[in-house]
Amino acid sequence: MGIVKCVRTILSSVLVAVLILCATPASACSVCGCGDPLLAVNDPAAINGRFRLQADTEYLRIDAGTDGRPGFTDQLTQWSYRLNAVYRPIDALSLTVTLPLVSKSIHTVGGGTDVASSSLTGIGDLELGARYALWTSVNLGARRVQEFAVSAGTAIPTGPYNAAAADGSLIDPHGQLGTGAWGPFAGIHYRIEQGDWLGFASVSYRLRTEASYFDGSKYKFGDAVLWSTHGQFRPARAVALDLGLDGRYARADRATDPDGTVTDAVGNTGGTVLSVAPGAYYNVNGSVWLFMRGQVPIYKRLFGEQDVKPSVTAGVQFQAL
């Protein structure tokens, strides 16, 4: 009973720490996100099982200067409700699919006013990914496993992206439920398990194709380099504590107006951000895990005027096989 009480105390402390960190205003990444696109593949339930289902919710808030209106700010609030599955047909291969339900709203604030520019809810872009281990080393005596893998995947333009405002104009691409474009990525990954410890590092590059809209305009979100370095500790079989650094460098977005005017670097988009990423996982029983993760920026060098709150994700995992 003493060990169980100690474990619960540790878990509670980590969860409280995540909540406190995520309540602190800071600057962070833009809509494209930070860190390993296949982070879910490294969750404890995904590593130990063949087939895992996950449902989670993520909250994030992004502020950016309003184009052409000095002193005004566009505030984007986004809730994502995601269904995710990770399947390992063989030990070396992990396949993942994520379907999001997204709720987005934009408010333009400035000059003593707060105007709701848009509010949309619906299906977002489907995400597919795979990770394959090219090399694996197992040392049973030392309780050590090492793995070097490659990963690839893409975001698929399944979410609506041509929504119009009340006046008939196109809603800002950042406020749309989908990007209207493909987002393929590829990367490399290294993982080491040593007893009750696990560490991994990864780097990926994500491309963005261009979306075309009903008004004749086009938009391309910036290509990005994404990286993560994480360490996990298992103080007990039912608990996993995670701490990492998630980062991103993204090019500025590109826009083409209906008249053909091209803006190669859209203002207030792109840049570099590095975030501390704490997390905790608790095994309720043999097949069900509860978890919470956060991203808290510690360094940023973003282009133009950008400011977002840290993001927080919480959910449940079910290890089916």
Side-chain angles (χ1 to χ4, degrees):
M1 293 299 291
I3 295 177
V4 173
K5 183 177 181 180
C6 179
V7 169
R8 289 178 177 172
T9 301
I10 293 173
L11 179 62
S12 299
S13 299
V14 172
L15 294 178
V16 171
V18 172
L19 290 173
I20 292 173
L21 288 170
C22 291
T24 306
S27 299
C29 30
S30 65
V31 174
C32 71
C34 294
D36 186 355
L38 295 181
L39 182 62
V41 174
N42 295 289
D43 287 348
I47 292 175
N48 297 325
R50 287 291 183 188
F51 182 57
R52 190 221 64 192
L53 296 172
Q54 174 176 306
D56 66 52
T57 181
E58 178 190 50
Y59 170 83
L60 62 84
R61 159 81 178 278
I62 303 167
D63 294 351
T66 306
D67 293 340
R69 302 183 67 184
F72 284 78
T73 300
D74 290 333
Q75 298 179 346
L76 169 64
T77 299
Q78 177 176 308
W79 285 92
S80 298
Y81 308 92
R82 296 175 297 217
L83 295 176
N84 169 267
V86 177
Y87 176 53
R88 297 174 63 207
I90 58 176
D91 289 343
L93 179 63
S94 295
L95 305 174
T96 180
V97 58
T98 303
L99 177 65
L101 176 67
V102 182
S103 180
K104 287 185 176 183
S105 63
I106 296 179
H107 286 249
T108 301
V109 179
T113 63
D114 184 343
V115 179
S117 302
S118 65
S119 181
L120 300 173
T121 299
I123 298 297
D125 287 348
L126 185 73
E127 185 94 7
L128 300 177
R131 177 169 288 156
Y132 181 74
L134 297 175
W135 171 80
T136 301
S137 174
V138 180
N139 187 326
L140 295 178
R143 298 176 62 200
R144 181 169 61 244
V145 178
Q146 297 183 78
E147 176 185 278
F148 179 78
V150 293
S151 59
T154 187
I156 301 175
T158 53
Y161 65 95
N162 256 315
D167 61 1
S169 62
L170 180 71
I171 290 176
D172 187 288
H174 293 86
Q176 299 284 347
L177 298 176
T179 61
W182 294 79
F185 68 87
I188 56 176
H189 173 85
Y190 171 74
R191 175 171 64 92
I192 180 171
E193 295 182 51
Q194 179 73 55
D196 296 326
W197 293 87
L198 178 149
F200 69 87
S202 69
V203 60
S204 304
Y205 191 81
R206 185 187 287 272
L207 297 171
R208 295 286 183 177
T209 62
E210 189 174 59
S212 299
Y213 301 96
F214 68 82
D215 63 353
S217 64
K218 299 179 180 180
Y219 200 87
K220 179 184 183 300
F221 289 90
D223 301 338
V225 179
L226 308 166
W227 63 90
S228 289
T229 302
H230 281 246
Q232 291 181 3
F233 175 55
R234 299 285 293 271
R237 291 182 60 86
V239 177
L241 307 179
D242 184 282
L243 184 63
L245 291 174
D246 293 336
R248 182 220 66 188
Y249 167 75
R251 296 177 180 272
D253 300 348
R254 172 189 172 95
T256 302
D257 292 338
D259 62 5
T261 301
V262 177
T263 302
D264 283 323
V266 176
N268 309 322
T269 65
T272 302
V273 64
L274 181 65
S275 297
V276 173
Y281 301 80
Y282 178 62
N283 189 202
V284 178
N285 59 42
S287 59
V288 179
W289 290 76
L290 302 177
F291 72 93
M292 180 176 285
R293 296 193 300 262
Q295 285 186 335
V296 183
I298 58 173
Y299 171 81
K300 70 161 187 174
R301 191 169 183 178
L302 303 175
F303 305 145
E305 300 177 26
Q306 299 183 62
D307 187 31
V308 308
K309 302 292 190 289
S311 65
V312 59
T313 302
V316 58
Q317 301 170 347
F318 174 67
Q319 185 174 306
L321 297 174

